[in-house]
Amino acid sequence: HSKSCSGAAFSGNGWLEEAVFGPEYSVECVVQRGEIMAMFLTSKFLSPYPACDEIGHMSGELFASTELQHTVSDAVRRIVRAWRLHSGVLHVEFKICKDGVKVIEAACRVGGDMISALVESRYGVSLEECLVLLRCRQDVRPALSRKSQAGDGSLYGICYLFSENLEA
């Protein structure tokens, strides 16, 4: 694979540890004092294999089951423990495969590509505000108190257009 769907060429060699197939998601997590205070699901839309470039995001979809939500929460808790993360905003990407949930990326940062704007539109929570409060060692609960699970009942999404997918 030598070119992304947006036309960016890859010049270096790559190492594929494991091919992971299935729908892709991320959770945007607010962690304070080692505890997950909030977790927001983002659905990812990808270009065809093998590129799997992210071409869209949607906020507001619910987990397919309570069991899946617990599995993802457990994976995030294990990351928090392993990294000894006291407080921060965590972006964790994963795929749902036939043999479970596979974490494909985790980072202590606000998710990119308009994810924070989608979360704020859907749930009323600013991930950047949460991050600033946590960095200032302030209680994040007032920022999370504006959280609305129901919101206005809408899903919020964005689609990225590249020359290769304009016709779609």
Side-chain angles (χ1 to χ4, degrees):
H1 180 58
S2 61
K3 192 176 188 182
S4 74
C5 77
S6 62
F10 303 133
S11 59
N13 292 325
W15 180 15
L16 181 63
E17 293 182 35
E18 177 181 5
V20 181
F21 301 99
E24 186 172 323
Y25 300 88
S26 68
V27 281
E28 319 316 314
C29 308
V30 178
V31 177
Q32 187 166 37
R33 292 184 285 282
E35 296 294 325
I36 301 170
M37 304 294 288
M39 193 169 70
F40 306 96
L41 182 66
T42 302
S43 304
K44 307 284 184 126
F45 297 89
L46 308 176
S47 67
Y49 292 104
C52 297
D53 290 311
E54 292 180 16
I55 57 173
H57 296 140
M58 185 173 64
S59 183
E61 187 176 14
L62 301 176
F63 283 94
S65 69
T66 304
E67 180 184 346
L68 177 61
Q69 184 173 359
H70 290 311
T71 301
V72 172
S73 296
D74 184 57
V76 172
R77 277 189 205 87
R78 286 185 284 130
I79 291 168
V80 168
R81 277 196 311 269
W83 290 356
R84 297 181 183 158
L85 177 62
H86 182 266
S87 297
V89 173
L90 189 62
H91 171 76
V92 180
E93 294 186 7
F94 62 94
K95 287 193 174 194
I96 300 173
C97 308
K98 62 181 177 187
D99 54 344
V101 170
K102 301 274 187 164
V103 173
I104 58 175
E105 176 189 331
C108 286
R109 65 175 175 85
V110 172
D113 298 328
M114 303 297 293
I115 288 175
S116 62
L118 298 175
V119 167
E120 187 166 8
S121 295
R122 176 62 174 91
Y123 298 103
V125 173
S126 167
L127 296 172
E128 290 83 18
E129 179 184 0
C130 291
L131 180 60
V132 169
L133 287 169
L134 293 168
R135 292 283 171 97
C136 294
R137 298 179 187 204
Q138 300 295 309
D139 188 359
V140 76
R141 287 178 293 185
L144 294 175
S145 70
R146 294 187 294 277
K147 176 180 169 186
S148 168
Q149 283 300 98
D152 59 7
S154 298
L155 301 175
Y156 288 84
I158 188 165
C159 178
Y160 301 101
L161 298 178
F162 302 100
S163 60
E164 291 82 1
N165 72 351
L166 283 177
E167 296 301 317

